[in-house]
Amino acid sequence: MSSGLKNPTNQKRFTNVAVVRWKRQGKTFELACYKNKVVAWRTGLEKNLDEVLQTDCVFTNVSKGTRADMRDLVRCFPNPNPDDRNFDPHRFAVLEILAKGTLQVSDKERANVTETIFRDIVNVLIDQCIDSETRRPFPPGLVERALKDIHYNPHPTRSAKVQAFEALRMLQDQRVLPIQRAQMRISIMCPIADARTLKAKLPQLEPESETWDDVWHCIALVDPGAFRGLGELVTSETRGRGRVELLNLRVQEEGETSVQ
């Protein structure tokens, strides 16, 4: 018979784990997750729950391996839809904790996560934006310095894309860089009978070329935020006889803006 101590059967030990903790109704609940996966789940980059959780158990203390009592899960995570007969309180608790709990990380891990998000934000700005004077993309180093100049602090769990466009507005407001969203190149076609009325309702349009033959055909640049509304307007004004096609998602000149 072995003389070593055994862990209680309701305990499970983990190493190299990221813990997500949430307190509810006086109880503490924790999940054992893979490092770097919680942020990916919350930002939508990771959609497979099995890639996030080391185990689907809910714990009261991950470091001790103590599992939560099912009765506490039922009491603390009630069914939001009483008519749902397929409600799974355990899965509901897991998703709630993962979405709303606090990620427990060391200072070093927090710094690594922040740096990763910061680089992702820079990459979005490089990909989606241009120098408004040269119409070329910015080099990464220039964007990084500009963000640091305005003391932009990324949030570790929010989408990099959302934060990038917030940072864009700050850069524009503070005039740190001559930066703007890269425009789209589109094609608009509609019957001549509708063309002049339609064009008058498109003041934001920047035509590159137009032809007025049997139909009005316009190649133009538009801001990305205007694309959907423009398509709806063309359909409405032409009673479905006109159409808008996307030719280039982002219009950029070749090469990068030079660093002065």
Side-chain angles (χ1 to χ4, degrees):
M1 180 176 177
S2 173
S3 60
L5 294 176
K6 295 183 178 180
N7 289 334
T9 56
N10 71 330
Q11 292 188 351
K12 185 173 182 177
R13 302 287 184 178
F14 292 93
T15 58
N16 194 32
V17 62
V19 176
V20 178
R21 178 183 300 151
W22 197 24
K23 293 185 178 180
R24 188 162 183 170
Q25 297 187 24
K27 297 287 185 179
T28 298
F29 300 99
E30 296 182 347
L31 298 176
C33 304
Y34 292 106
K35 290 187 176 181
N36 302 324
K37 287 296 186 176
V38 176
V39 173
W41 172 267
R42 289 177 171 176
T43 58
L45 295 177
E46 178 59 67
K47 300 184 184 299
N48 185 351
L49 195 59
D50 291 335
E51 295 294 324
V52 180
L53 302 176
Q54 293 204 20
T55 173
D56 63 356
C57 292
V58 178
F59 298 86
T60 57
N61 189 309
V62 166
S63 63
K64 294 181 179 179
T66 308
R67 295 174 179 171
D69 190 299
M70 187 63 183
R71 290 170 295 185
D72 288 334
L73 295 182
V74 172
R75 180 172 61 86
C76 296
F77 298 92
N79 187 353
N81 181 10
D83 296 329
D84 183 5
R85 296 184 179 182
N86 296 318
F87 177 71
D88 182 349
H90 180 271
R91 180 173 176 79
F92 180 67
V94 167
L95 294 176
E96 284 285 282
I97 297 167
L98 191 56
K100 301 176 182 178
T102 302
L103 179 61
Q104 310 298 305
V105 296
S106 66
D107 291 341
K108 182 178 180 180
E109 290 171 330
R110 186 176 292 106
N112 288 339
V113 170
T114 300
E115 181 61 26
T116 297
I117 292 293
F118 183 82
R119 288 197 300 269
D120 290 343
I121 291 170
V122 170
N123 288 334
V124 172
L125 290 173
I126 293 170
D127 183 58
Q128 302 280 341
C129 300
I130 57 172
D131 183 324
S132 59
E133 297 172 353
T134 67
R135 306 192 77 82
R136 291 187 172 94
F138 288 98
L142 196 59
V143 176
E144 290 176 6
R145 287 198 297 273
L147 291 175
K148 291 176 181 177
D149 286 345
I150 64 173
H151 306 291
Y152 185 78
N153 296 313
H155 192 283
T157 61
R158 296 178 60 212
S159 162
K161 186 172 184 179
V162 170
Q163 294 190 78
F165 293 132
E166 291 177 350
L168 171 61
R169 287 192 291 271
M170 293 175 64
L171 291 170
Q172 291 173 328
D173 291 343
Q174 299 187 35
R175 300 184 178 181
V176 177
L177 286 178
I179 190 171
Q180 69 176 54
R181 287 284 302 273
Q183 292 180 301
M184 295 175 167
R185 179 175 285 115
I186 63 170
S187 166
I188 305 175
M189 299 182 69
C190 77
I192 289 292
D194 303 313
R196 297 194 184 280
T197 300
L198 176 61
K199 187 178 179 181
K201 295 185 177 181
L202 301 173
Q204 77 275 28
L205 211 61
E206 296 183 22
E208 291 185 319
S209 66
E210 294 179 87
T211 58
W212 298 79
D213 298 322
D214 294 335
V215 297
W216 176 55
H217 185 200
C218 176
I219 305 296
L221 300 179
V222 296
D223 292 331
F227 179 70
R228 178 177 296 181
L230 189 149
E232 294 172 350
L233 178 63
V234 169
T235 299
S236 173
E237 289 295 321
T238 64
R239 295 171 294 284
R241 294 182 295 174
R243 69 175 186 269
V244 178
E245 295 180 355
L246 179 62
L247 302 179
N248 297 100
L249 185 60
R250 287 179 291 278
V251 178
Q252 300 175 329
E253 297 292 338
E254 293 186 1
E256 292 181 341
T257 291
S258 59
V259 181
Q260 302 296 328

